[in-house]
Structure formats: structure tokens, C-alpha cells
Amino acid sequence: MKALSLKLIGAMALMTLAGCQTAYYGAMEKIGIDKRDILVDRVENVRDSQKDSQEEFQTAYQRLVVLTDFDGGDFEDVYDQLNSDYQSSKKAADRVTQKIDDVEDVADDLFDEWEDELSQYSNEKLRRTSEAKLKATQRQFSQLLRSMHQAEAKMAPVLATLNDNVLYLKHNLNASAISAIKGEFASLKTDISGLINEMSEAIEESDAFIATLKQ
């Protein structure tokens, strides 16, 4: 009985969510904004979030360069600065993930609507042209999504390693602690550099997709 109740609650929540989404699309259409416009806006949001995330990871990278050459000073300040970089990078990464989820939601709805409306054509030539455009847009979106997820996937291990170093410094605020993790720093710098390049590729894919939808 309990399992059935949980399933019922889950189903009701999904229906409520679907209803809210439908109402949202309806309200937006009334002011001249359709799903295509919403998708463009959300892809732009992902792109902008990725740029913000790039900047945060770049700051962390520069901090690691400084720490690699650290030869004395206030160790607590060193920890505070690196911890701040980690927290900012994590928040930026979480925003990227949420924005990607938002893009997937509206893209699925747009493509479903587009597919359904193909059956409404009376002109076969126009229907075939629209279908071809749909498939081309879906292929380009799939490539964009892969690029987004590839960059997103690289964030987790970088953040995990960065967190390890932050935790180690937290409990070992001395010169030997920094010396002990210099090897980790070198590897982490390489990972962050790779992540930044991956994000640049995803941002370029976003710009290309936005340009296609705006044509």
C-alpha cells in the first residue's frame, strides 16, 4: 500500500509539473515567444554559465600557479583563498548543470511539437522540407548536447581534486603541506587547462546552434 501511495504521489507530481510547463508555454506564446525562442534563450544561458565557470576555474588555475611557487607567508590566507576559489568554481559548475537540464527540457518539447505538426501539412513538399529541417536541427542539437555534457563531465573530477587539496591544506597549514601537494597541483593545473578548452568548444557549438535557430 505504501509503495502504491508513493507511485501515485510521483505520478501526480509529474502531471502537475507537466501542467505547469504547458501553462508556461501557453503564457509565453500569448506574448509572442514560442518554444524556439525559449530554446535559444536557454542555450544562451548555458553558454553564459559556461563562460562564468571558465572564469572561476581560470582563477583557481592562477591561484595554483602562485601556490606552486609559494615560499613563505600566511598559510591561513593561502587556504582561505584556495577554498574561496573552490567554492566559487563549484557554484558555477552547479549552475551549468542546471542550465543544461533546462535546455534539454524545452528541446524535447519543441521537437515533439514539431514532429506532431508534420502530420498537419496538406502540402507534401512543404512537409518534407520541414521534416528535413527538423532532423538537421535535431542532429545539430545532439552534437551540441554532447559537447555540453563532455565539458560538464570534466568539471566533477577537477572539483574533487581541488576539494582534496583544500581539505589537506585546511588541516595542515604549513610549508611542508604545500610542498607535499605540489605534484597534485601540477596535475590539477593540467586538468583545469583541459576543462577550459573543452568549455570553449562547447561555447562555440552553442553559438553555432543559436545562429541556426535564428535563421
PDB file of all heavy atoms in Angstrom, residues 67-104:
ATOM      1  N   LEU A  67      50.607  29.170  -5.801  1.00  0.00           N
ATOM      2  CA  LEU A  67      50.904  28.239  -4.715  1.00  0.00           C
ATOM      3  C   LEU A  67      52.091  27.341  -5.040  1.00  0.00           C
ATOM      4  O   LEU A  67      52.843  26.952  -4.148  1.00  0.00           O
ATOM      5  CB  LEU A  67      49.673  27.384  -4.401  1.00  0.00           C
ATOM      6  CG  LEU A  67      48.531  28.088  -3.666  1.00  0.00           C
ATOM      7  CD1 LEU A  67      47.328  27.178  -3.538  1.00  0.00           C
ATOM      8  CD2 LEU A  67      48.995  28.547  -2.291  1.00  0.00           C
ATOM      9  N   THR A  68      52.236  26.999  -6.306  1.00  0.00           N
ATOM     10  CA  THR A  68      53.353  26.153  -6.709  1.00  0.00           C
ATOM     11  C   THR A  68      54.691  26.825  -6.386  1.00  0.00           C
ATOM     12  O   THR A  68      55.673  26.160  -6.055  1.00  0.00           O
ATOM     13  CB  THR A  68      53.279  25.853  -8.223  1.00  0.00           C
ATOM     14  OG1 THR A  68      52.048  25.189  -8.498  1.00  0.00           O
ATOM     15  CG2 THR A  68      54.419  24.939  -8.651  1.00  0.00           C
ATOM     16  N   ASP A  69      54.707  28.144  -6.453  1.00  0.00           N
ATOM     17  CA  ASP A  69      55.936  28.902  -6.175  1.00  0.00           C
ATOM     18  C   ASP A  69      55.933  29.527  -4.778  1.00  0.00           C
ATOM     19  O   ASP A  69      56.748  30.403  -4.481  1.00  0.00           O
ATOM     20  CB  ASP A  69      56.104  30.016  -7.223  1.00  0.00           C
ATOM     21  CG  ASP A  69      56.225  29.460  -8.632  1.00  0.00           C
ATOM     22  OD1 ASP A  69      56.820  28.373  -8.779  1.00  0.00           O
ATOM     23  OD2 ASP A  69      55.722  30.099  -9.583  1.00  0.00           O
ATOM     24  N   PHE A  70      55.016  29.083  -3.937  1.00  0.00           N
ATOM     25  CA  PHE A  70      54.872  29.656  -2.590  1.00  0.00           C
ATOM     26  C   PHE A  70      56.147  29.426  -1.780  1.00  0.00           C
ATOM     27  O   PHE A  70      56.632  28.298  -1.661  1.00  0.00           O
ATOM     28  CB  PHE A  70      53.686  29.011  -1.881  1.00  0.00           C
ATOM     29  CG  PHE A  70      53.352  29.641  -0.554  1.00  0.00           C
ATOM     30  CD1 PHE A  70      52.633  30.823  -0.498  1.00  0.00           C
ATOM     31  CD2 PHE A  70      53.769  29.056   0.635  1.00  0.00           C
ATOM     32  CE1 PHE A  70      52.308  31.406   0.716  1.00  0.00           C
ATOM     33  CE2 PHE A  70      53.445  29.627   1.855  1.00  0.00           C
ATOM     34  CZ  PHE A  70      52.722  30.803   1.891  1.00  0.00           C
ATOM     35  N   ASP A  71      56.702  30.510  -1.216  1.00  0.00           N
ATOM     36  CA  ASP A  71      57.949  30.371  -0.459  1.00  0.00           C
ATOM     37  C   ASP A  71      57.872  31.064   0.904  1.00  0.00           C
ATOM     38  O   ASP A  71      58.869  31.493   1.460  1.00  0.00           O
ATOM     39  CB  ASP A  71      59.124  30.923  -1.265  1.00  0.00           C
ATOM     40  CG  ASP A  71      58.938  32.399  -1.627  1.00  0.00           C
ATOM     41  OD1 ASP A  71      57.889  32.961  -1.261  1.00  0.00           O
ATOM     42  OD2 ASP A  71      59.850  32.967  -2.256  1.00  0.00           O
ATOM     43  N   GLY A  72      56.654  31.188   1.416  1.00  0.00           N
ATOM     44  CA  GLY A  72      56.507  31.769   2.744  1.00  0.00           C
ATOM     45  C   GLY A  72      55.369  32.766   2.802  1.00  0.00           C
ATOM     46  O   GLY A  72      54.975  33.328   1.790  1.00  0.00           O
ATOM     47  N   GLY A  73      54.821  32.951   3.995  1.00  0.00           N
ATOM     48  CA  GLY A  73      53.712  33.884   4.149  1.00  0.00           C
ATOM     49  C   GLY A  73      52.678  33.332   5.107  1.00  0.00           C
ATOM     50  O   GLY A  73      52.952  32.402   5.874  1.00  0.00           O
ATOM     51  N   ASP A  74      51.484  33.888   5.045  1.00  0.00           N
ATOM     52  CA  ASP A  74      50.400  33.475   5.922  1.00  0.00           C
ATOM     53  C   ASP A  74      49.698  32.255   5.331  1.00  0.00           C
ATOM     54  O   ASP A  74      49.006  32.354   4.325  1.00  0.00           O
ATOM     55  CB  ASP A  74      49.393  34.619   6.075  1.00  0.00           C
ATOM     56  CG  ASP A  74      48.377  34.354   7.184  1.00  0.00           C
ATOM     57  OD1 ASP A  74      47.989  33.174   7.347  1.00  0.00           O
ATOM     58  OD2 ASP A  74      47.970  35.308   7.856  1.00  0.00           O
ATOM     59  N   PHE A  75      49.885  31.090   5.939  1.00  0.00           N
ATOM     60  CA  PHE A  75      49.326  29.848   5.411  1.00  0.00           C
ATOM     61  C   PHE A  75      47.801  29.829   5.482  1.00  0.00           C
ATOM     62  O   PHE A  75      47.143  29.213   4.639  1.00  0.00           O
ATOM     63  CB  PHE A  75      49.902  28.646   6.168  1.00  0.00           C
ATOM     64  CG  PHE A  75      51.369  28.478   5.971  1.00  0.00           C
ATOM     65  CD1 PHE A  75      52.255  28.727   7.010  1.00  0.00           C
ATOM     66  CD2 PHE A  75      51.877  28.085   4.747  1.00  0.00           C
ATOM     67  CE1 PHE A  75      53.624  28.582   6.834  1.00  0.00           C
ATOM     68  CE2 PHE A  75      53.245  27.942   4.557  1.00  0.00           C
ATOM     69  CZ  PHE A  75      54.123  28.186   5.608  1.00  0.00           C
ATOM     70  N   GLU A  76      47.250  30.504   6.485  1.00  0.00           N
ATOM     71  CA  GLU A  76      45.790  30.538   6.582  1.00  0.00           C
ATOM     72  C   GLU A  76      45.193  31.334   5.433  1.00  0.00           C
ATOM     73  O   GLU A  76      44.134  30.978   4.903  1.00  0.00           O
ATOM     74  CB  GLU A  76      45.361  31.135   7.925  1.00  0.00           C
ATOM     75  CG  GLU A  76      43.851  30.992   8.159  1.00  0.00           C
ATOM     76  CD  GLU A  76      43.466  31.230   9.605  1.00  0.00           C
ATOM     77  OE1 GLU A  76      44.360  31.328  10.460  1.00  0.00           O
ATOM     78  OE2 GLU A  76      42.260  31.309   9.872  1.00  0.00           O
ATOM     79  N   ASP A  77      45.873  32.392   5.024  1.00  0.00           N
ATOM     80  CA  ASP A  77      45.408  33.157   3.864  1.00  0.00           C
ATOM     81  C   ASP A  77      45.438  32.310   2.601  1.00  0.00           C
ATOM     82  O   ASP A  77      44.538  32.391   1.759  1.00  0.00           O
ATOM     83  CB  ASP A  77      46.291  34.406   3.661  1.00  0.00           C
ATOM     84  CG  ASP A  77      45.916  35.538   4.608  1.00  0.00           C
ATOM     85  OD1 ASP A  77      44.852  35.434   5.264  1.00  0.00           O
ATOM     86  OD2 ASP A  77      46.692  36.513   4.703  1.00  0.00           O
ATOM     87  N   VAL A  78      46.482  31.493   2.492  1.00  0.00           N
ATOM     88  CA  VAL A  78      46.601  30.593   1.337  1.00  0.00           C
ATOM     89  C   VAL A  78      45.403  29.653   1.279  1.00  0.00           C
ATOM     90  O   VAL A  78      44.782  29.471   0.221  1.00  0.00           O
ATOM     91  CB  VAL A  78      47.906  29.767   1.417  1.00  0.00           C
ATOM     92  CG1 VAL A  78      47.925  28.684   0.335  1.00  0.00           C
ATOM     93  CG2 VAL A  78      49.115  30.674   1.262  1.00  0.00           C
ATOM     94  N   TYR A  79      45.081  29.073   2.424  1.00  0.00           N
ATOM     95  CA  TYR A  79      43.929  28.165   2.486  1.00  0.00           C
ATOM     96  C   TYR A  79      42.638  28.901   2.161  1.00  0.00           C
ATOM     97  O   TYR A  79      41.824  28.420   1.362  1.00  0.00           O
ATOM     98  CB  TYR A  79      43.815  27.532   3.875  1.00  0.00           C
ATOM     99  CG  TYR A  79      42.442  26.964   4.136  1.00  0.00           C
ATOM    100  CD1 TYR A  79      42.045  25.766   3.537  1.00  0.00           C
ATOM    101  CD2 TYR A  79      41.510  27.646   4.925  1.00  0.00           C
ATOM    102  CE1 TYR A  79      40.768  25.261   3.726  1.00  0.00           C
ATOM    103  CE2 TYR A  79      40.239  27.156   5.122  1.00  0.00           C
ATOM    104  CZ  TYR A  79      39.873  25.953   4.518  1.00  0.00           C
ATOM    105  OH  TYR A  79      38.605  25.465   4.690  1.00  0.00           O
ATOM    106  N   ASP A  80      42.428  30.070   2.763  1.00  0.00           N
ATOM    107  CA  ASP A  80      41.191  30.829   2.546  1.00  0.00           C
ATOM    108  C   ASP A  80      40.997  31.172   1.077  1.00  0.00           C
ATOM    109  O   ASP A  80      39.883  31.083   0.537  1.00  0.00           O
ATOM    110  CB  ASP A  80      41.202  32.117   3.379  1.00  0.00           C
ATOM    111  CG  ASP A  80      41.032  31.848   4.865  1.00  0.00           C
ATOM    112  OD1 ASP A  80      40.542  30.750   5.221  1.00  0.00           O
ATOM    113  OD2 ASP A  80      41.399  32.736   5.670  1.00  0.00           O
ATOM    114  N   GLN A  81      42.066  31.567   0.421  1.00  0.00           N
ATOM    115  CA  GLN A  81      41.979  31.939  -0.989  1.00  0.00           C
ATOM    116  C   GLN A  81      41.637  30.738  -1.869  1.00  0.00           C
ATOM    117  O   GLN A  81      40.770  30.824  -2.746  1.00  0.00           O
ATOM    118  CB  GLN A  81      43.309  32.564  -1.426  1.00  0.00           C
ATOM    119  CG  GLN A  81      43.577  33.921  -0.810  1.00  0.00           C
ATOM    120  CD  GLN A  81      45.010  34.378  -0.993  1.00  0.00           C
ATOM    121  OE1 GLN A  81      45.849  33.661  -1.538  1.00  0.00           O
ATOM    122  NE2 GLN A  81      45.313  35.586  -0.524  1.00  0.00           N
ATOM    123  N   LEU A  82      42.316  29.622  -1.619  1.00  0.00           N
ATOM    124  CA  LEU A  82      42.058  28.433  -2.435  1.00  0.00           C
ATOM    125  C   LEU A  82      40.668  27.876  -2.157  1.00  0.00           C
ATOM    126  O   LEU A  82      39.971  27.430  -3.081  1.00  0.00           O
ATOM    127  CB  LEU A  82      43.114  27.359  -2.161  1.00  0.00           C
ATOM    128  CG  LEU A  82      43.085  26.154  -3.112  1.00  0.00           C
ATOM    129  CD1 LEU A  82      43.289  26.595  -4.562  1.00  0.00           C
ATOM    130  CD2 LEU A  82      44.142  25.126  -2.721  1.00  0.00           C
ATOM    131  N   ASN A  83      40.242  27.919  -0.895  1.00  0.00           N
ATOM    132  CA  ASN A  83      38.903  27.443  -0.554  1.00  0.00           C
ATOM    133  C   ASN A  83      37.837  28.311  -1.223  1.00  0.00           C
ATOM    134  O   ASN A  83      36.821  27.798  -1.716  1.00  0.00           O
ATOM    135  CB  ASN A  83      38.707  27.453   0.959  1.00  0.00           C
ATOM    136  CG  ASN A  83      37.344  26.909   1.372  1.00  0.00           C
ATOM    137  OD1 ASN A  83      36.952  25.817   0.969  1.00  0.00           O
ATOM    138  ND2 ASN A  83      36.614  27.673   2.159  1.00  0.00           N
ATOM    139  N   SER A  84      38.066  29.620  -1.250  1.00  0.00           N
ATOM    140  CA  SER A  84      37.131  30.523  -1.923  1.00  0.00           C
ATOM    141  C   SER A  84      37.052  30.201  -3.413  1.00  0.00           C
ATOM    142  O   SER A  84      35.957  30.192  -3.993  1.00  0.00           O
ATOM    143  CB  SER A  84      37.584  31.969  -1.725  1.00  0.00           C
ATOM    144  OG  SER A  84      36.737  32.861  -2.423  1.00  0.00           O
ATOM    145  N   ASP A  85      38.196  29.912  -4.021  1.00  0.00           N
ATOM    146  CA  ASP A  85      38.213  29.536  -5.440  1.00  0.00           C
ATOM    147  C   ASP A  85      37.415  28.260  -5.669  1.00  0.00           C
ATOM    148  O   ASP A  85      36.668  28.138  -6.642  1.00  0.00           O
ATOM    149  CB  ASP A  85      39.650  29.323  -5.918  1.00  0.00           C
ATOM    150  CG  ASP A  85      40.447  30.620  -5.943  1.00  0.00           C
ATOM    151  OD1 ASP A  85      39.805  31.689  -6.018  1.00  0.00           O
ATOM    152  OD2 ASP A  85      41.680  30.552  -5.874  1.00  0.00           O
ATOM    153  N   TYR A  86      37.598  27.295  -4.762  1.00  0.00           N
ATOM    154  CA  TYR A  86      36.870  26.032  -4.887  1.00  0.00           C
ATOM    155  C   TYR A  86      35.367  26.244  -4.767  1.00  0.00           C
ATOM    156  O   TYR A  86      34.595  25.726  -5.598  1.00  0.00           O
ATOM    157  CB  TYR A  86      37.336  25.036  -3.815  1.00  0.00           C
ATOM    158  CG  TYR A  86      36.402  23.857  -3.672  1.00  0.00           C
ATOM    159  CD1 TYR A  86      36.318  22.879  -4.664  1.00  0.00           C
ATOM    160  CD2 TYR A  86      35.557  23.747  -2.571  1.00  0.00           C
ATOM    161  CE1 TYR A  86      35.438  21.813  -4.558  1.00  0.00           C
ATOM    162  CE2 TYR A  86      34.675  22.694  -2.450  1.00  0.00           C
ATOM    163  CZ  TYR A  86      34.618  21.723  -3.444  1.00  0.00           C
ATOM    164  OH  TYR A  86      33.738  20.671  -3.337  1.00  0.00           O
ATOM    165  N   GLN A  87      34.940  26.987  -3.761  1.00  0.00           N
ATOM    166  CA  GLN A  87      33.506  27.205  -3.554  1.00  0.00           C
ATOM    167  C   GLN A  87      32.876  27.926  -4.741  1.00  0.00           C
ATOM    168  O   GLN A  87      31.772  27.579  -5.190  1.00  0.00           O
ATOM    169  CB  GLN A  87      33.277  28.010  -2.267  1.00  0.00           C
ATOM    170  CG  GLN A  87      33.742  27.317  -0.995  1.00  0.00           C
ATOM    171  CD  GLN A  87      32.970  26.033  -0.687  1.00  0.00           C
ATOM    172  OE1 GLN A  87      31.850  25.844  -1.183  1.00  0.00           O
ATOM    173  NE2 GLN A  87      33.548  25.163   0.109  1.00  0.00           N
ATOM    174  N   SER A  88      33.569  28.934  -5.268  1.00  0.00           N
ATOM    175  CA  SER A  88      33.048  29.680  -6.415  1.00  0.00           C
ATOM    176  C   SER A  88      32.974  28.791  -7.659  1.00  0.00           C
ATOM    177  O   SER A  88      32.004  28.855  -8.423  1.00  0.00           O
ATOM    178  CB  SER A  88      33.939  30.893  -6.705  1.00  0.00           C
ATOM    179  OG  SER A  88      33.910  31.808  -5.631  1.00  0.00           O
ATOM    180  N   SER A  89      33.988  27.958  -7.856  1.00  0.00           N
ATOM    181  CA  SER A  89      34.003  27.054  -9.008  1.00  0.00           C
ATOM    182  C   SER A  89      32.883  26.028  -8.911  1.00  0.00           C
ATOM    183  O   SER A  89      32.237  25.701  -9.911  1.00  0.00           O
ATOM    184  CB  SER A  89      35.358  26.330  -9.096  1.00  0.00           C
ATOM    185  OG  SER A  89      36.403  27.248  -9.328  1.00  0.00           O
ATOM    186  N   LYS A  90      32.635  25.524  -7.704  1.00  0.00           N
ATOM    187  CA  LYS A  90      31.577  24.536  -7.516  1.00  0.00           C
ATOM    188  C   LYS A  90      30.200  25.131  -7.802  1.00  0.00           C
ATOM    189  O   LYS A  90      29.357  24.516  -8.458  1.00  0.00           O
ATOM    190  CB  LYS A  90      31.613  23.976  -6.099  1.00  0.00           C
ATOM    191  CG  LYS A  90      30.635  22.807  -5.879  1.00  0.00           C
ATOM    192  CD  LYS A  90      30.791  22.223  -4.500  1.00  0.00           C
ATOM    193  CE  LYS A  90      29.894  20.984  -4.352  1.00  0.00           C
ATOM    194  NZ  LYS A  90      28.471  21.237  -4.669  1.00  0.00           N
ATOM    195  N   LYS A  91      29.968  26.352  -7.313  1.00  0.00           N
ATOM    196  CA  LYS A  91      28.682  27.003  -7.558  1.00  0.00           C
ATOM    197  C   LYS A  91      28.478  27.248  -9.050  1.00  0.00           C
ATOM    198  O   LYS A  91      27.386  27.039  -9.591  1.00  0.00           O
ATOM    199  CB  LYS A  91      28.613  28.326  -6.796  1.00  0.00           C
ATOM    200  CG  LYS A  91      28.457  28.175  -5.287  1.00  0.00           C
ATOM    201  CD  LYS A  91      28.429  29.529  -4.598  1.00  0.00           C
ATOM    202  CE  LYS A  91      28.306  29.367  -3.076  1.00  0.00           C
ATOM    203  NZ  LYS A  91      28.332  30.684  -2.376  1.00  0.00           N
ATOM    204  N   ALA A  92      29.533  27.671  -9.718  1.00  0.00           N
ATOM    205  CA  ALA A  92      29.440  27.918 -11.161  1.00  0.00           C
ATOM    206  C   ALA A  92      29.160  26.614 -11.911  1.00  0.00           C
ATOM    207  O   ALA A  92      28.361  26.589 -12.854  1.00  0.00           O
ATOM    208  CB  ALA A  92      30.738  28.549 -11.670  1.00  0.00           C
ATOM    209  N   ALA A  93      29.800  25.527 -11.491  1.00  0.00           N
ATOM    210  CA  ALA A  93      29.584  24.227 -12.132  1.00  0.00           C
ATOM    211  C   ALA A  93      28.151  23.747 -11.921  1.00  0.00           C
ATOM    212  O   ALA A  93      27.527  23.202 -12.843  1.00  0.00           O
ATOM    213  CB  ALA A  93      30.568  23.202 -11.562  1.00  0.00           C
ATOM    214  N   ASP A  94      27.621  23.951 -10.720  1.00  0.00           N
ATOM    215  CA  ASP A  94      26.230  23.555 -10.436  1.00  0.00           C
ATOM    216  C   ASP A  94      25.247  24.330 -11.316  1.00  0.00           C
ATOM    217  O   ASP A  94      24.243  23.775 -11.785  1.00  0.00           O
ATOM    218  CB  ASP A  94      25.898  23.797  -8.954  1.00  0.00           C
ATOM    219  CG  ASP A  94      26.611  22.825  -8.031  1.00  0.00           C
ATOM    220  OD1 ASP A  94      27.068  21.769  -8.522  1.00  0.00           O
ATOM    221  OD2 ASP A  94      26.717  23.121  -6.822  1.00  0.00           O
ATOM    222  N   ARG A  95      25.543  25.603 -11.552  1.00  0.00           N
ATOM    223  CA  ARG A  95      24.670  26.412 -12.419  1.00  0.00           C
ATOM    224  C   ARG A  95      24.692  25.886 -13.853  1.00  0.00           C
ATOM    225  O   ARG A  95      23.656  25.844 -14.528  1.00  0.00           O
ATOM    226  CB  ARG A  95      25.098  27.880 -12.386  1.00  0.00           C
ATOM    227  CG  ARG A  95      24.717  28.624 -11.118  1.00  0.00           C
ATOM    228  CD  ARG A  95      24.827  30.129 -11.293  1.00  0.00           C
ATOM    229  NE  ARG A  95      26.198  30.546 -11.551  1.00  0.00           N
ATOM    230  CZ  ARG A  95      27.085  30.835 -10.599  1.00  0.00           C
ATOM    231  NH1 ARG A  95      26.744  30.740  -9.323  1.00  0.00           N
ATOM    232  NH2 ARG A  95      28.305  31.236 -10.915  1.00  0.00           N
ATOM    233  N   VAL A  96      25.858  25.481 -14.315  1.00  0.00           N
ATOM    234  CA  VAL A  96      25.966  24.930 -15.673  1.00  0.00           C
ATOM    235  C   VAL A  96      25.098  23.685 -15.803  1.00  0.00           C
ATOM    236  O   VAL A  96      24.347  23.534 -16.775  1.00  0.00           O
ATOM    237  CB  VAL A  96      27.437  24.584 -16.013  1.00  0.00           C
ATOM    238  CG1 VAL A  96      27.506  23.765 -17.307  1.00  0.00           C
ATOM    239  CG2 VAL A  96      28.264  25.861 -16.165  1.00  0.00           C
ATOM    240  N   THR A  97      25.174  22.797 -14.820  1.00  0.00           N
ATOM    241  CA  THR A  97      24.382  21.566 -14.847  1.00  0.00           C
ATOM    242  C   THR A  97      22.892  21.862 -14.898  1.00  0.00           C
ATOM    243  O   THR A  97      22.144  21.266 -15.671  1.00  0.00           O
ATOM    244  CB  THR A  97      24.705  20.696 -13.617  1.00  0.00           C
ATOM    245  OG1 THR A  97      26.073  20.279 -13.681  1.00  0.00           O
ATOM    246  CG2 THR A  97      23.809  19.452 -13.574  1.00  0.00           C
ATOM    247  N   GLN A  98      22.439  22.814 -14.078  1.00  0.00           N
ATOM    248  CA  GLN A  98      21.018  23.171 -14.051  1.00  0.00           C
ATOM    249  C   GLN A  98      20.582  23.767 -15.379  1.00  0.00           C
ATOM    250  O   GLN A  98      19.498  23.447 -15.896  1.00  0.00           O
ATOM    251  CB  GLN A  98      20.749  24.170 -12.923  1.00  0.00           C
ATOM    252  CG  GLN A  98      19.288  24.602 -12.814  1.00  0.00           C
ATOM    253  CD  GLN A  98      18.344  23.440 -12.627  1.00  0.00           C
ATOM    254  OE1 GLN A  98      18.491  22.690 -11.666  1.00  0.00           O
ATOM    255  NE2 GLN A  98      17.380  23.261 -13.521  1.00  0.00           N
ATOM    256  N   LYS A  99      21.414  24.612 -15.950  1.00  0.00           N
ATOM    257  CA  LYS A  99      21.068  25.246 -17.226  1.00  0.00           C
ATOM    258  C   LYS A  99      20.994  24.220 -18.353  1.00  0.00           C
ATOM    259  O   LYS A  99      20.143  24.329 -19.249  1.00  0.00           O
ATOM    260  CB  LYS A  99      22.082  26.339 -17.573  1.00  0.00           C
ATOM    261  CG  LYS A  99      22.174  27.483 -16.571  1.00  0.00           C
ATOM    262  CD  LYS A  99      20.858  28.224 -16.418  1.00  0.00           C
ATOM    263  CE  LYS A  99      21.007  29.408 -15.471  1.00  0.00           C
ATOM    264  NZ  LYS A  99      19.719  30.101 -15.223  1.00  0.00           N
ATOM    265  N   ILE A 100      21.865  23.220 -18.321  1.00  0.00           N
ATOM    266  CA  ILE A 100      21.823  22.157 -19.338  1.00  0.00           C
ATOM    267  C   ILE A 100      20.522  21.374 -19.218  1.00  0.00           C
ATOM    268  O   ILE A 100      19.880  21.044 -20.224  1.00  0.00           O
ATOM    269  CB  ILE A 100      23.039  21.217 -19.210  1.00  0.00           C
ATOM    270  CG1 ILE A 100      24.326  21.955 -19.592  1.00  0.00           C
ATOM    271  CG2 ILE A 100      22.865  19.985 -20.113  1.00  0.00           C
ATOM    272  CD1 ILE A 100      25.593  21.153 -19.384  1.00  0.00           C
ATOM    273  N   ASP A 101      20.098  21.087 -17.985  1.00  0.00           N
ATOM    274  CA  ASP A 101      18.823  20.388 -17.767  1.00  0.00           C
ATOM    275  C   ASP A 101      17.665  21.196 -18.344  1.00  0.00           C
ATOM    276  O   ASP A 101      16.747  20.644 -18.965  1.00  0.00           O
ATOM    277  CB  ASP A 101      18.594  20.142 -16.271  1.00  0.00           C
ATOM    278  CG  ASP A 101      19.545  19.107 -15.684  1.00  0.00           C
ATOM    279  OD1 ASP A 101      20.143  18.349 -16.474  1.00  0.00           O
ATOM    280  OD2 ASP A 101      19.687  19.060 -14.454  1.00  0.00           O
ATOM    281  N   ASP A 102      17.698  22.504 -18.154  1.00  0.00           N
ATOM    282  CA  ASP A 102      16.642  23.373 -18.673  1.00  0.00           C
ATOM    283  C   ASP A 102      16.597  23.336 -20.201  1.00  0.00           C
ATOM    284  O   ASP A 102      15.517  23.333 -20.806  1.00  0.00           O
ATOM    285  CB  ASP A 102      16.872  24.821 -18.211  1.00  0.00           C
ATOM    286  CG  ASP A 102      16.678  24.999 -16.706  1.00  0.00           C
ATOM    287  OD1 ASP A 102      16.048  24.119 -16.080  1.00  0.00           O
ATOM    288  OD2 ASP A 102      17.152  26.018 -16.171  1.00  0.00           O
ATOM    289  N   VAL A 103      17.765  23.300 -20.819  1.00  0.00           N
ATOM    290  CA  VAL A 103      17.845  23.231 -22.282  1.00  0.00           C
ATOM    291  C   VAL A 103      17.238  21.929 -22.794  1.00  0.00           C
ATOM    292  O   VAL A 103      16.468  21.921 -23.762  1.00  0.00           O
ATOM    293  CB  VAL A 103      19.316  23.349 -22.750  1.00  0.00           C
ATOM    294  CG1 VAL A 103      19.471  22.849 -24.191  1.00  0.00           C
ATOM    295  CG2 VAL A 103      19.776  24.795 -22.672  1.00  0.00           C
ATOM    296  N   GLU A 104      17.590  20.830 -22.152  1.00  0.00           N
ATOM    297  CA  GLU A 104      17.075  19.528 -22.590  1.00  0.00           C
ATOM    298  C   GLU A 104      15.552  19.469 -22.502  1.00  0.00           C
ATOM    299  O   GLU A 104      14.884  18.918 -23.380  1.00  0.00           O
ATOM    300  CB  GLU A 104      17.700  18.411 -21.755  1.00  0.00           C
ATOM    301  CG  GLU A 104      19.163  18.171 -22.058  1.00  0.00           C
ATOM    302  CD  GLU A 104      19.704  16.939 -21.368  1.00  0.00           C
ATOM    303  OE1 GLU A 104      19.480  15.816 -21.882  1.00  0.00           O
ATOM    304  OE2 GLU A 104      20.337  17.087 -20.300  1.00  0.00           O
TER     305      GLU A 104
END
